[in-house]
Amino acid sequence: MELAADAAGSRSSGGEPPPPDDRELVALALDRADAFAELYRRHVRDIHAYVYRRCGSSTVADDVTAAAFERALRHLRRFEWRDGGFRAWVFRIAANELTDHYRREDGRRRRDHRAAAAGIGVVFDADPAIAVDDREDPDGRATAQLRSALALLPPRYQEAITLRYLSGLSQQEAAAAMGSSKATFAVTLHRALRALQQIMEPQQ
Amino acid sequence: MTRRRDRKALRQRIEAVGAAPSPEPRADRVAATEARLRAIYDAHGGTAPATAPATGVGQSRAAGRGRRRLVGSAMAGVLALGVLVGIALATRSEDGAQNGSLLLTAADRAYIVLPDGTRIPAAAGITVPDGARVVVEAGGSATLDGVTLQPGESATVDGGEVDVRPSGATPDSTSPPPSSSDPGTSRTTDRPATTVEPDPGNEPPTTTTTRPPTTTTAPVPLDQVLELRAWATIDGEVVHLRWQRYTGDDFGAYVVLARYDGLAPLPERPGNVVLFRTTNPAVNTRDVRFRPGMTIRIVAVAADKHIVAGSRVLRPTAEPRINGTGGTPAGSSTTTSTSPATSTTSGATTTTRLD
């Protein structure tokens, strides 16, 4: 309520102040923790759902979402309002965080393998954390099938489809989240769908 | 038109999956993260932290563009240099007389033993270096510098000349046994390949491989990379794939390629279908749907998409079971054993042919 009043004060409008929009909250958040906390609470579910749909693990989604918001805060002073706004920006940060997460996981796994290989005649056990077909699957067969097919796509195609259709971002927001123009995003999305279709055809 | 309709249906299917609820973030994590964010404010006198160096947050585009341009120019330079080096190497290789190497123009069921003892599958187009030996297995043949080798024969390249002899008499005291390779003592060559036979009857063993550095930027043909042993068994309409794990440091992903036109799924050949891809080096099984005439090849690729190991072509074929009462279609099979090397099926006969 206090935030709403402050935001309304900056708009100089009378009557009951409406809740501040993201743009106003970002401006307030430069100096106020409660403004950024409000932004966090407002978008945490969407970001978590997006990461979950990309990786299929709720635990990883928790970690990546937390890291994404912390990174957003640390770079808030450099944020410039563009198409898609704060939400699209955090989506993009989350996508980068997820990529970093996988890189770290890959490095860790390779170190483990190297250490084990220094022993004798090692047969490695499957690591269920990353395997495409080992992921948690509370959503049923259709989701699992789609997720397996999505996992075969290049990361950029995965990102486009997840942002646009699984996370429900508008074309403009999704383009901004990927750091591309609307036209470029449309082409990427078209190609991504075509590639997904080709992958899913033999499975059907 | 149909494809467009299909794509629309696919889009709707994805949206339906997207509309399904996903798990909520854990409440205690949300509270903890909010507390942490507030603590960051406190640590900076109640304000947002001063800007950290730019790292993938999608802003400062002008600076990003400048960096990208610089990186792009540098990469273009490196690429151009690589192409020049590649051309120079290719030119040098074609002129076998310069370094005593000879061109292999045809090869079937043959392998090459490099001077350091490394054994690689032979394939047309390979330049066989001086001191290396081409060995033809039973039923195979090879043509080296116009000389055709018969089954059981081998030929050593000796200063640009072909020295043919019967295979059994070949190994002399100076050449190590063909199947052994010690990467630690190997001489660096541009043939990054080592073959390790899996132990039949057991879990496919892991293969720790040290690939010698490549000296050319051209893609390495599939026949010149490490062989990945692979097996396929059919259970009804499902093909169970299993392959030897690749544990080289350069592992990026396993990719299962397939074709339905009977041709071998060569990576560079258009029309391959990617049935499966995983970046998990521990995954070495996959079930795919059987289709008559399908060919499958499993490859391991490095992070930069170069193929580092590849299986031979698998042609899973379902044959009627002969059980005294007539054939039973493969689709009626019920179980399949889990050991790939000793795979058996009850209810159907499984045949896997390796090319």
Side-chain angles (χ1 to χ4, degrees), chain A:
Chain A
M1 189 56 88
E2 196 186 334
L3 279 172
D6 289 349
S10 69
R11 286 196 298 265
S12 308
S13 59
E16 183 71 17
D21 62 20
D22 278 5
R23 195 170 197 148
E24 291 161 339
L25 282 174
V26 167
L28 289 170
L30 293 176
D31 301 309
R32 291 179 55 172
D34 56 347
F36 194 82
E38 173 63 23
L39 283 167
Y40 171 65
R41 285 192 295 269
R42 192 175 279 186
H43 298 297
V44 65
R45 278 178 188 77
D46 285 349
I47 299 295
H48 183 274
Y50 163 69
V51 179
Y52 173 77
R53 285 176 174 132
R54 287 283 309 274
C55 72
S57 163
S58 193
T59 311
V60 172
D62 280 335
D63 293 344
V64 169
T65 304
F69 275 98
E70 186 172 330
R71 197 165 171 182
L73 172 56
R74 293 191 183 280
H75 293 86
L76 190 64
R77 290 194 180 278
R78 244 198 16 244
F79 171 67
E80 296 165 31
W81 192 270
R82 293 178 190 277
D83 291 344
F86 178 79
R87 187 165 116 106
W89 184 54
V90 182
F91 265 99
R92 190 168 181 198
I93 296 174
N96 290 338
E97 281 293 332
L98 186 62
T99 305
D100 288 351
H101 169 82
Y102 280 131
R103 262 189 215 132
R104 283 193 299 271
E105 277 295 306
D106 279 354
R108 182 190 60 76
R109 220 174 30 251
R110 282 182 197 177
R111 277 195 301 279
D112 290 351
H113 278 235
R114 270 199 295 274
I120 39 165
V122 182
V123 173
F124 300 112
D125 292 330
D127 178 356
I130 301 296
V132 171
D133 43 357
D134 287 339
R135 289 172 176 167
E136 302 164 32
D137 178 29
D139 305 336
R141 188 177 161 79
T143 310
Q145 216 176 25
L146 184 67
R147 193 175 283 152
S148 296
L150 266 175
L152 303 179
L153 294 176
R156 195 162 172 77
Y157 286 0
Q158 288 182 36
E159 198 177 343
I161 289 176
T162 312
L163 286 169
R164 182 72 181 95
Y165 297 125
L166 290 177
S167 299
L169 264 64
S170 69
Q171 189 100 344
Q172 194 173 37
E173 283 179 317
M178 287 189 68
S180 55
S181 69
K182 261 177 82 173
T184 305
F185 178 77
V187 171
T188 306
L189 188 63
H190 176 77
R191 288 178 181 162
L193 274 177
R194 199 172 52 191
L196 185 66
Q197 191 179 21
Q198 282 171 353
I199 290 169
M200 292 190 78
E201 268 171 3
Q203 292 183 0
Q204 288 162 356

Side-chain angles (χ1 to χ4, degrees), chain B residues 3 33 82 92 95 123 131 140 169 233 235 259 266 328 335 341 353-354:
Chain B
R3 290 188 75 82
T33 304
R92 201 185 61 168
D95 185 4
T233 55
D235 183 5
R259 294 184 72 92
L266 295 173
T328 304
T335 58
R353 205 171 76 226
L354 284 169

Side-chain angles (χ1 to χ4, degrees), chain B residues 184-244:
Chain B
T185 57
S186 290
R187 195 180 80 189
T188 300
T189 78
D190 58 353
R191 302 272 183 257
T194 306
T195 303
V196 176
E197 298 294 327
D199 181 5
N202 287 319
E203 174 80 7
T206 54
T207 308
T208 304
T209 309
T210 304
R211 298 174 70 241
T214 50
T215 54
T216 170
T217 55
V220 180
L222 197 51
D223 288 340
Q224 294 179 42
V225 297
L226 174 74
E227 183 184 344
L228 208 61
R229 297 294 298 267
W231 299 263
T233 55
I234 301 176
D235 183 5
E237 294 198 334
V238 178
V239 180
H240 303 288
L241 297 173
R242 196 167 181 81
W243 57 90
Q244 182 186 12

